[in-house]
Amino acid sequence: MGKLTDYNYQKLEERIRYSLDNTSSSFYEELKKIKGNTLITGVGGSMVVSLFLSKVLESKNHILCAVEEISSIYSKNLEGFQNLVVVSSSGKNNGVKQILDYGNTKKYLVTASTKNKPNVEYLTYATLDKEDSFISLAATLVPISILVHYYNDEKFCYENKKMDFFSNLDLHLDFEVFYDYKSMVTAHFLESTFVEAGLASIILHDKYSYCHGRSTLGSKRKSNLLYLLSDTKDLDNLLLANLHLVYDHILILQSDFTDSILADYDLLCQAFSFVYELSQKLKRDLSKVKYAKIVPKIYHFKGSM
């Protein structure tokens, strides 16, 4: 297991607390000013932050939000949107730079960068130091923790909870994840991290959509099931009573929060602990991933999309 991954996980809580204590009040004031239909985008781990931001702005600012991949925005009619919010910890990604110059909507950049780009409103959060990691750890959970503070006025912080994740899992199998709106961000963090780190193949199932044909794959091909649960509904009771007929290996991550944003944050923190411990068992270094040979050829892409 890589020492750098251990260091980054051990440093995570300190980095979050520093950012919560040192992010300027102007960050929160600028968030409050976002009104009207808002399009939100990011790349990689920043898409996870984008999804969380959309939930917070819809609930706190009472506006409609849509989250899209950067490449999709070029094919989308933007006339119905008043704002484009781009999430990028560094602000250096070529796709981020290009999209901030595209269209006539008001632009915001949620970032740790202190650089200033004309005609862009910077929402800059404080960071303790620069995280050296292939997989976005602090770069994902720091801004999300700040958004929780904006939403709820309390300073929730990640803790690496020791839980029995693996007693009923088969680590030779791939994963299927069951989620709903209350766990949407957590599910997409798991998908992004599993794929980028090469931990396992992973499929996401909306809980209700699973009831309409998506059970076929699990019945034909064995997988681990990761069930994200909070504010238990009738659908959860039905699924949990019957999923053992399809899956032999089930892990439930559960939050006691009924609020859909706080529940997602709580589940996300549990998912961080799960991913960290899984990477240890698989002997995968999340901070120094042995990426595919194609990466140097495509990562710095510039051009039309």
Side-chain angles (χ1 to χ4, degrees), residues 16-46:
I16 293 171
R17 292 193 185 280
Y18 177 90
S19 295
L20 287 171
D21 291 339
N22 291 278
T23 293
S24 169
S25 60
S26 63
F27 179 94
Y28 303 102
E29 291 165 3
E30 290 302 321
L31 272 180
K32 288 179 183 178
K33 294 178 183 178
I34 299 177
K35 304 295 182 183
N37 295 345
T38 299
L39 187 60
I40 306 174
T41 190
V43 180
S46 292

Side-chain angles (χ1 to χ4, degrees), residues 206-243:
D206 172 82
K207 293 174 183 176
Y208 185 62
S209 290
Y210 183 82
C211 300
H212 292 266
R214 293 184 66 88
S215 58
T216 307
L217 180 64
S219 65
K220 302 291 186 184
R221 185 170 178 267
K222 294 297 182 182
S223 296
N224 294 300
L225 167 61
L226 185 52
Y227 197 98
L228 304 176
L229 179 64
S230 66
D231 191 21
T232 306
K233 303 296 185 184
D234 292 340
L235 179 58
D236 293 302
N237 290 329
L238 174 66
L239 288 170
L240 291 173
N242 290 280
L243 285 172

Side-chain angles (χ1 to χ4, degrees), residues 248-300:
D248 297 325
H249 307 284
I250 300 175
L251 171 64
I252 300 173
L253 297 185
Q254 183 167 1
S255 174
D256 293 330
F257 287 103
T258 56
D259 179 278
S260 65
I261 292 174
L262 299 183
D264 216 348
Y265 182 75
D266 184 26
L267 289 167
L268 183 62
C269 290
Q270 294 180 48
F272 262 71
S273 297
F274 170 68
V275 166
Y276 173 54
E277 293 191 25
L278 177 62
S279 67
Q280 287 187 314
K281 286 188 173 294
L282 296 177
K283 294 181 171 52
R284 303 287 176 82
D285 189 341
L286 300 180
S287 293
K288 289 188 176 295
V289 171
K290 294 181 179 179
Y291 50 76
K293 293 180 180 179
I294 195 176
V295 169
K297 298 180 182 294
I298 62 176
Y299 183 80
H300 297 290

Side-chain angles (χ1 to χ4, degrees), residues 29-183:
E29 291 165 3
E30 290 302 321
L31 272 180
K32 288 179 183 178
K33 294 178 183 178
I34 299 177
K35 304 295 182 183
N37 295 345
T38 299
L39 187 60
I40 306 174
T41 190
V43 180
S46 292
M47 275 299 285
V48 177
V49 183
S50 298
L51 287 167
F52 197 85
L53 176 60
S54 73
K55 293 176 71 169
V56 169
L57 289 179
E58 286 184 340
S59 182
K60 184 81 171 181
N61 293 29
H62 308 294
I63 61 176
L64 293 176
C65 296
V67 180
E68 296 282 0
E69 296 282 355
I70 283 179
S71 59
S72 300
I73 294 175
Y74 294 103
S75 302
K76 194 176 183 72
N77 187 331
L78 303 183
E79 291 182 4
F81 294 97
Q82 285 72 56
N83 312 296
L84 172 63
V85 181
V86 181
V87 179
S88 173
S89 177
S90 69
K92 296 178 180 178
N93 181 285
N94 287 330
V96 167
K97 292 177 181 178
Q98 288 179 212
I99 204 66
L100 287 172
D101 290 326
Y102 179 75
N104 298 315
T105 55
K106 183 172 178 57
K107 308 292 197 319
Y108 296 85
L109 178 62
V110 178
T111 183
S113 172
T114 56
K115 292 185 178 179
N116 239 338
K117 185 177 177 65
N119 302 317
V120 175
E121 195 72 45
Y122 273 63
L123 285 74
T124 302
Y125 53 88
T127 52
L128 176 63
D129 53 14
K130 179 174 169 40
E131 178 187 47
D132 181 12
S133 181
F134 184 88
I135 299 298
S136 299
L137 304 174
T140 297
L141 205 52
V142 162
I144 286 179
S145 298
I146 293 170
L147 292 171
V148 171
H149 180 40
Y150 170 70
Y151 169 71
N152 195 57
D153 297 326
E154 292 188 36
K155 295 181 179 179
F156 290 90
C157 189
Y158 165 82
E159 294 181 14
N160 189 3
K161 300 177 181 177
K162 293 293 183 181
M163 301 171 64
D164 181 13
F165 294 119
F166 303 105
S167 61
N168 195 38
L169 297 183
D170 183 343
L171 300 187
H172 296 96
L173 299 178
D174 292 326
F175 284 77
E176 297 182 40
V177 178
F178 280 58
Y179 76 99
D180 53 22
Y181 182 77
K182 301 183 295 294
S183 54

